[in-house]
Amino acid sequence: MRTHFCGLIDSSLIDQTVTLCGWVDVARDLGGVCFVDLRDHEGIVQVVAEPDADNADNAAVIAAASQLGYEDCVRITGVVRARHAVNDKIRTGQVEILAKRIEVLNKAEPLPFHAHENPGEETRLKYRYLDLRRPQMQQMMRTRTKLVAALRRYLDERNFQDIETPILTKATPEGARDFLVPARMHAGEFYALPQSPQLFKQILMMAGFDRYYQIARCFRDEALRADRQLEFTQLDMEFAWVNEADVQNLTEDMIRHVFREVKGVELANPFPRMTYAEAMRLYGSDKPDLRFDMAFADIVDLVKTCDFKVFADVANAADGRVIALTAPGAASHSRKQIDELAAHAAKYGAKGLAWMKVETLANGREGINSPIAKFFDDATLLAIVERAGAKDGDLILFGAGNAKTASDFMGAVRLKLGKDLGLMREGDWKPLWVTDFPMFEYDDEAGRYVALHHPFTAPAVDDIADLRANAATAVSRGYDMVLNGNEIGGGSIRIHSSAMQSAVFELLGIGAEEAQAKFGFLLDALKYGAPPHGGVAFGIDRIAALMAGTESIRDVIAFPKTTGAQCLMTDAPSPIADAQLAEVHVMVRPRKSEVAG
């Protein structure tokens, strides 16, 4: 139907006849001369319909052009010529098309929004086919396509095998909830959609496949937010006969390669490494954003005997932490701005946010403006300022609580300040490996340990008795790749011993009978010469969003769900007829509200 793409017309085609297909982006009738901006996925080109003595059908062309409306689907044949008024803002701005024939292929009705508008989220998702036509969305999706292609090329060239793993698999709920699929041929039994291909890729290593990858669809029935969806895509990888450095070095090189190819960006070589303990101590996050400084200063030792009970009580508690965080140049913050920071901290568990404004440090106490300064003697007050690294014009914020809570809310405050103060510069890329994660964390509500990564991650110690005796402080062989405060990939060296895997299950409160029922196939496979192996998975959606410059992964997923887990375009999820439910041996319980009614 066409000879060329709209956005690829250039001066090399001058005097040639071309046929283009696309949507009318703008149509202007100037009285006898009509201008049409015609758009396809490659871009926009200007089309002109004007009087032409050599073209007997010219009147019909002008008449057709004058009737064109926004988003009409058309085919236009014309001659490329140099443009009188050059438009340097678009790729085709040196040329235009003198129309010889215009065909309306499909007339568009009035649209719910304009392609150059940014409508609300619900409107965008309800009319996703229109939203995706917008040039910025086309560019974002193209970035994703380039990313996936670059990853595949890199791995194919290094002899990784692309192997598909099952979508219908066994429910092994350890972490997020599974999506369940009733098995029609096995009444009362269910498949689960995979949260990841984790166990299958490990078994591939045991089966002798040295290097595996897959662009895998994964499913987790969990609450949605900007960087999470019910279904998502990850680059899944596994290696046999490797240690941490082997996995990290290759995947780091891969990420450098794809950023160079897709974005023209050179990332650090090598990526810096930071332990989990250090990341939490300095930044209150296991995915610190290193585009700006503002590291924490611990002041527990300075406030244990102070008169400020809030600090003193926490400082003398077994797991207490008192943090000072200096915001450069923020002493000018108003009380309202500080209250907004306190409200933000409260979302993450803070009971308050104390503060000091360092106005003129040379004046000692008199140069410090703070409602809590009166609780400290001169020496302690100045020691706090010095420990915090504050200078004239800086604002010091304080967080106190148990170590985890204080780290969490002060980490959130640090990120908000980084944005508010403009410290996150566009175009900065700060990658990082976070290593040496805790093996377990204790879940007070469940009354047991849970795996920080997943239950198949190898501990740093090989001795089972040592692991049992020191479970609370055990370190794993897990690692995460972080970029600009986003975890873009995570992995570990796996357990390759059946005895160690059984011991880890036991520490997680999974008894031998339950372990056999859920993971018997894995425990069996580990008995038959399983090699040391490890791997990693990268979030395609998150990396694409970072490359595209958007904060929401919904912008780089063609048909995402809302935060309410719905597809507004297709109205999914939706009720299923009783007859269809009966085929899969399922009966739906009435909602509580219906029973109460």
Side-chain angles (χ1 to χ4, degrees):
M1 290 186 71
R2 63 188 172 194
T3 61
H4 296 78
F5 293 109
C6 299
L8 300 184
I9 301 298
D10 59 27
S11 55
S12 68
L13 298 171
I14 286 177
D15 295 331
Q16 292 187 33
T17 298
V18 297
T19 298
L20 310 175
C21 293
W23 290 272
V24 174
D25 197 71
V26 175
R28 305 180 299 279
D29 184 353
L30 303 184
V33 178
C34 298
F35 292 89
V36 177
D37 287 348
L38 191 64
R39 185 188 74 248
D40 63 13
H41 79 288
E42 289 287 358
I44 288 176
V45 67
Q46 178 172 280
V47 178
V48 182
E50 63 185 23
D52 183 356
D54 297 328
N55 184 2
D57 297 327
N58 191 62
V61 171
I62 295 174
S66 67
Q67 297 300 310
L68 292 178
Y70 176 59
E71 292 302 291
D72 284 352
C73 184
V74 301
R75 178 165 65 174
I76 296 177
T77 298
V79 177
V80 181
R81 68 182 186 184
R83 186 166 171 170
H84 297 299
V86 171
N87 182 357
D88 292 328
K89 294 180 180 179
I90 59 175
R91 184 166 49 178
T92 63
Q94 301 286 330
V95 294
E96 62 187 11
I97 310 297
L98 177 61
K100 300 298 183 180
R101 184 181 181 191
I102 296 177
E103 303 170 71
V104 177
L105 303 175
N106 206 340
K107 190 77 178 170
E109 294 184 6
L111 274 67
F113 62 90
H114 195 283
H116 297 285
E117 296 173 351
N118 190 12
E121 186 82 3
E122 286 199 5
T123 302
R124 289 180 60 194
L125 295 182
K126 181 176 177 62
Y127 300 99
R128 188 61 166 177
Y129 40 86
L130 298 179
D131 184 42
L132 288 171
R133 276 191 206 169
R134 298 192 300 142
Q136 57 267 50
M137 291 300 296
Q138 290 275 319
Q139 185 57 45
M140 287 183 185
M141 294 304 297
R142 184 170 295 219
T143 296
R144 182 191 179 105
T145 298
K146 290 178 179 177
L147 165 64
V148 172
L151 289 168
R152 285 193 181 279
R153 279 194 298 272
Y154 182 94
L155 295 172
D156 291 343
E157 288 169 3
R158 286 157 182 81
N159 298 320
F160 281 79
Q161 287 185 255
D162 182 359
I163 303 175
E164 294 178 344
T165 54
I167 292 294
L168 295 175
T169 184
K170 184 180 180 66
T172 54
E174 271 296 319
R177 293 183 183 89
D178 286 327
F179 279 103
L180 302 177
V181 180
R184 182 181 60 82
M185 293 183 288
H186 300 272
E189 297 182 351
F190 295 81
Y191 300 104
L193 302 183
Q195 294 187 29
S196 84
Q198 181 63 43
L199 297 182
F200 287 104
K201 69 177 180 176
Q202 287 188 238
I203 287 173
L204 285 171
M205 298 303 101
M206 301 169 203
F209 295 95
D210 194 77
R211 290 182 167 195
Y212 142 93
Y213 86 95
Q214 180 183 186
I215 305 294
R217 296 291 284 170
C218 302
F219 307 86
R220 293 180 188 172
D221 190 359
E222 60 184 355
L224 275 65
R225 55 180 191 242
D227 65 345
R228 291 218 177 144
Q229 282 279 302
L230 300 178
E231 51 183 314
F232 56 95
T233 306
Q234 68 184 37
L235 168 62
D236 204 53
M237 302 172 65
E238 199 77 4
F239 310 65
W241 316 103
V242 290
N243 57 29
E244 293 90 329
D246 295 325
V247 177
Q248 291 169 9
N249 290 342
L250 186 139
T251 54
E252 176 183 317
D253 184 67
M254 176 185 73
I255 293 299
R256 267 196 301 271
H257 170 82
V258 298
F259 266 82
R260 185 184 306 121
E261 186 166 319
V262 178
K263 292 290 294 178
V265 167
E266 286 292 338
L267 299 181
N269 185 8
F271 292 1
R273 264 72 167 165
M274 182 181 295
T275 66
Y276 171 90
E278 186 180 7
M280 296 303 293
R281 180 177 65 84
L282 293 176
Y283 304 107
S285 172
D286 60 1
K287 49 183 180 182
D289 192 328
L290 300 186
R291 286 177 293 174
F292 63 106
D293 296 326
M294 289 179 59
F296 293 171
D298 283 295
I299 60 168
V300 162
D301 58 315
L302 299 178
V303 299
K304 281 188 173 182
T305 59
C306 75
D307 293 334
F308 190 39
K309 196 172 186 305
V310 173
F311 283 7
D313 287 352
V314 169
N316 286 286
D319 191 32
R321 188 175 189 194
V322 185
I323 296 167
L325 174 65
T326 297
S332 58
H333 266 40
S334 66
R335 185 57 188 267
K336 181 183 180 209
Q337 287 174 299
I338 294 174
D339 287 345
E340 287 173 353
L341 288 169
H344 184 69
K347 297 176 186 176
Y348 298 86
K351 294 180 180 177
L353 198 65
W355 55 271
M356 288 181 184
K357 293 183 177 182
V358 181
E359 294 174 343
T360 310
L361 193 54
N363 293 340
R365 175 180 294 276
E366 300 306 315
I368 297 172
N369 175 7
S370 171
I372 66 168
K374 61 188 177 185
F375 295 107
F376 307 100
D377 59 43
D378 288 354
T380 302
L381 186 63
L382 294 177
I384 289 172
V385 173
E386 183 180 359
R387 179 78 61 84
K391 301 181 178 63
D392 289 354
D394 291 348
L395 171 69
I396 309 175
L397 296 163
F398 300 92
N402 69 65
K404 183 177 188 315
T405 301
S407 297
D408 285 348
F409 73 72
M410 289 302 285
V413 169
R414 176 182 177 270
L415 286 177
K416 179 168 173 53
L417 281 166
K419 291 180 181 178
D420 293 349
L421 298 175
L423 301 179
M424 299 176 180
R425 293 181 296 275
E426 188 176 344
D428 277 1
W429 299 97
K430 297 294 182 180
L432 170 74
W433 281 108
V434 178
T435 65
D436 300 329
F437 280 81
M439 187 74 184
F440 309 109
E441 59 183 351
Y442 195 78
D443 187 326
D444 291 322
E445 191 174 321
R448 65 182 180 90
Y449 287 113
V450 295
L452 198 69
H453 261 90
H454 55 57
F456 319 108
T457 295
V461 296
D462 294 326
D463 186 88
I464 293 175
D466 188 343
L467 179 65
R468 286 195 175 111
N470 300 288
T473 57
V475 172
S476 79
R477 298 178 71 181
Y479 37 81
D480 284 355
M481 186 185 289
V482 176
L483 182 62
N484 291 2
N486 296 271
E487 177 208 331
I488 62 170
S492 66
I493 299 302
R494 323 301 189 189
I495 297 169
H496 67 280
S497 155
S498 184
M500 177 64 81
Q501 186 66 76
S502 293
V504 168
F505 284 153
E506 181 186 327
L507 286 166
L508 293 171
I510 302 172
E513 188 174 332
E514 183 184 1
Q516 190 61 39
K518 289 181 177 178
F519 306 107
F521 63 97
L522 174 67
L523 293 170
D524 288 344
L526 290 170
K527 295 175 183 176
Y528 300 115
H533 59 285
V536 66
F538 288 94
I540 296 290
D541 310 307
R542 288 185 187 177
I543 298 174
L546 284 168
M547 286 182 162
T550 178
E551 293 185 358
S552 174
I553 63 171
R554 288 191 289 274
D555 288 336
V556 292
I557 297 173
F559 301 104
K561 305 291 188 292
T562 66
T563 52
Q566 294 175 297
C567 174
L568 299 181
M569 187 182 74
T570 63
D571 198 27
S574 56
I576 299 296
D578 289 343
Q580 193 173 353
L581 289 173
E583 286 183 346
V584 292
H585 321 288
V586 169
M587 180 179 293
V588 177
R589 289 181 178 179
R591 294 187 181 94
K592 289 182 180 179
S593 58
E594 293 173 353
V595 173

